[in-house]
Amino acid sequence: MSQTGSANPFRPGSGIFPPLLAGREAETAVFEARIARTREGHPQHTALLGEWAIGKTTLLMHWRRLRQKAGDAVVLSMAYPQAKDDFLSALARALAAATEPEWSDRLDIELGLDLGVAEARLRRPHRNAESELRRSLRHLVEERRGELTAVVLVDDIDLVADPGDALLQLRASALELYATGLSFAFVVAGSPALFAAVRAAHEPLVRFFEPLTLRPLDADASARAITEPLAETSVGFDAEVVNEIVELSGGRPYYLQKLAYYAFDAAERGRTSRAEFRLAFDGAFASVSQEIFAARWAAMSPIERQVVLVVASLTEPSSSGDIESQAVRSEIRPAATRQALRRLAARGHVDRTANGHRGRYAVRDRLFRRYLELQTCER
Ligand SMILES: Nc1ncnc2c1ncn2[C@@H]1O[C@H](COP(=O)(O)OP(=O)(O)O)[C@@H](O)[C@H]1O
Ligand SMILES: [Mg+2]
């Protein structure tokens, strides 16, 4: 425990607003430009794409705050693992609740909170999810007629059972509203594989929800994410500790928060130097392993495990061919290796860098690589 009495400012978690929102100026400028275009009568919608824990929810919360301050009507809604129609109904309710309470009461009744209707609904579930959504969307937007823009943010859209269908229906509802000349924009957040998963609907969806991809923070922003919150406390990290956290994290904000959190608690007399950080790292690594890596590993097939261990053991990004020939030594057929690589890359466990048609694979995440090295030792 820190002996200084300062509260730990770091916030490792999911959807917890960080002490300092580092970087993201470029993405926010793109978002703001799209809202400005929307207001001028050229609606632009966004798909905010990024790996787990890269900062999607945080950025949506930031954008909500910005747009609210500017006077827009903003609704932020989370998707869950749920059927598409349940998702649309829940979104319709969130939109309704954002307008007058009176309207939301009326919609509640229409949605079936009134008992008699609820029973009817049970027999014919969600027949009107789509029209509910259109109605409440239109209402939200009409409320703002002549004023600013309505912005609807939907987080984790790929948790919905059929995200492609859900997106198509959002798009259909939006297109219907275009005819009225009302001003509003959608932002949906999901994993980078979102559009790959929707296949047939890919083209129209990508043109409608313009992708904006979140990448790890650069070294400068990463360092600021640590040093600026720290400056408000009575604890300091040696410069080499800050550098080490930045490097180990690879700019992934969740790792930054996690490592800095443990480094803060490890401070001796208000200071964390190399020696304290060594222990802090063990704690942070154990925590991430338990929270994230163990489940990830458990969900892999035996072949995927072998293949990911091969990729993690390579000193530089390697072609599928190189990985296949290594895996053959463990008696895995090249076709099986190729398939495992594709799956691992789609889930973000392995990084694929494309160079023309040739892809190269690596595990860039240093904490995950360390976890995999430990798995190798246990074999
Ligand atoms: N730009 C940022 N600067 C500093 N910390 C961040 C930033 N973005 C996210 N974080 C922190 O990283 C963690 C994961 O962020 P989150 O928004 O939940 O990611 P996602 O929604 O992509 O899974 C949280 O602890 C959050 O506070
Ligand atoms: Mg999130």
Side-chain angles (χ1 to χ4, degrees):
M1 257 298 165
S2 147
Q3 291 147 21
T4 56
S6 263
N8 194 324
F10 298 105
R11 299 271 174 274
S14 162
I16 305 172
F17 207 80
L20 173 84
L21 180 89
R24 306 311 185 208
E25 291 87 1
E27 293 85 354
T28 298
V30 170
F31 167 71
E32 290 287 340
R34 288 181 185 176
I35 296 298
R37 291 276 295 160
T38 299
R39 180 143 49 249
E40 290 158 7
H42 307 281
Q44 284 194 293
H45 311 279
T46 299
L48 182 66
L49 304 179
E51 306 287 352
W52 71 280
I54 201 74
K56 300 180 293 297
T57 304
T58 298
L59 200 51
L60 290 183
M61 293 193 294
H62 176 56
W63 290 352
R64 171 175 61 179
R65 209 176 284 176
L66 285 181
R67 287 288 98 212
Q68 270 170 346
K69 267 197 205 148
D72 285 347
V74 193
V75 176
L76 170 55
S77 163
M78 310 265 169
Y80 297 95
Q82 60 194 160
K84 180 204 66 192
D85 285 337
D86 290 328
F87 161 72
L88 294 176
S89 292
L91 181 59
R93 265 194 305 268
L95 295 175
T99 49
E100 331 129 49
E102 180 206 333
W103 163 262
S104 109
D105 288 348
R106 229 162 54 220
L107 196 82
D108 277 348
I109 294 170
E110 286 167 29
L111 280 171
L113 291 192
D114 171 282
L115 261 187
V117 185
E119 281 183 13
R121 283 288 162 123
L122 282 179
R123 269 178 260 122
R124 282 187 307 137
H126 306 301
R127 203 161 164 184
N128 296 313
E130 205 182 332
S131 63
E132 279 160 18
L133 175 65
R134 287 184 193 187
R135 205 161 43 212
S136 50
L137 191 55
R138 176 184 284 259
H139 193 263
L140 175 75
V141 175
E142 272 174 351
E143 282 268 292
R144 317 298 296 185
R145 193 190 279 285
E147 286 180 64
L148 295 178
T149 304
V151 184
V152 179
L153 312 160
V154 181
D155 200 4
D156 289 332
I157 185 99
D158 41 12
L159 292 182
V160 179
D162 190 342
D165 250 22
L167 287 170
L168 283 170
Q169 297 216 339
L170 291 186
R171 174 172 165 270
S173 308
L175 292 177
E176 199 181 79
L177 279 184
Y178 282 5
T180 65
L182 299 167
S183 165
F184 83 98
F186 275 125
V187 178
V188 297
S191 77
L194 176 64
F195 289 122
V198 302
R199 291 177 184 277
H202 184 281
E203 290 265 310
L205 286 179
V206 170
R207 269 181 286 128
F208 189 79
F209 297 98
E210 297 172 51
L212 179 58
T213 300
L214 276 188
R215 308 207 184 278
L217 300 175
D218 63 29
D220 183 56
S222 299
R224 274 193 295 118
I226 303 167
T227 53
E228 289 192 24
L230 211 51
E232 312 277 304
T233 74
S234 52
V235 172
F237 296 175
D238 282 358
E240 52 187 2
V241 168
V242 174
N243 289 340
E244 204 164 334
I245 294 176
V246 169
E247 259 174 46
L248 283 165
S249 74
R252 293 171 178 82
Y254 169 70
Y255 291 166
L256 282 172
Q257 299 293 334
K258 191 68 131 185
L259 291 164
Y261 181 88
Y262 277 82
F264 187 94
D265 274 354
E268 289 289 342
R269 287 180 300 280
R271 195 95 211 142
T272 301
S273 55
R274 263 254 166 81
E276 285 83 39
F277 183 66
R278 212 162 298 140
L279 282 178
F281 175 82
D282 291 344
F285 176 72
S287 162
V288 176
S289 299
Q290 203 178 11
E291 281 170 23
I292 311 285
F293 301 150
R296 190 184 280 187
W297 177 255
M300 287 182 196
S301 73
I303 290 184
E304 285 167 353
R305 286 182 189 171
Q306 302 241 31
V307 172
V308 80
L309 291 182
V310 169
V311 180
S313 71
L314 298 165
T315 48
E316 53 187 46
S318 303
S319 68
S320 180
D322 289 345
I323 297 162
E324 285 159 33
S325 53
Q326 291 233 18
V328 162
R329 288 184 220 155
S330 316
E331 285 164 21
I332 302 174
R333 284 175 298 108
T337 300
R338 275 198 297 279
Q339 193 190 29
L341 272 178
R342 251 197 314 274
R343 290 218 183 115
L344 290 163
R347 273 180 269 151
H349 302 342
V350 156
D351 303 284
R352 182 180 189 276
T353 45
N355 179 2
H357 279 307
R358 285 270 187 77
R360 289 190 177 277
Y361 298 87
V363 176
R364 269 202 232 109
D365 179 333
R366 287 185 56 181
L367 298 193
F368 189 43
R369 209 162 66 216
R370 187 184 179 96
Y371 178 85
L372 293 171
E373 281 158 15
L374 293 174
Q375 302 306 310
T376 315
C377 297
E378 276 174 22
R379 281 170 166 244

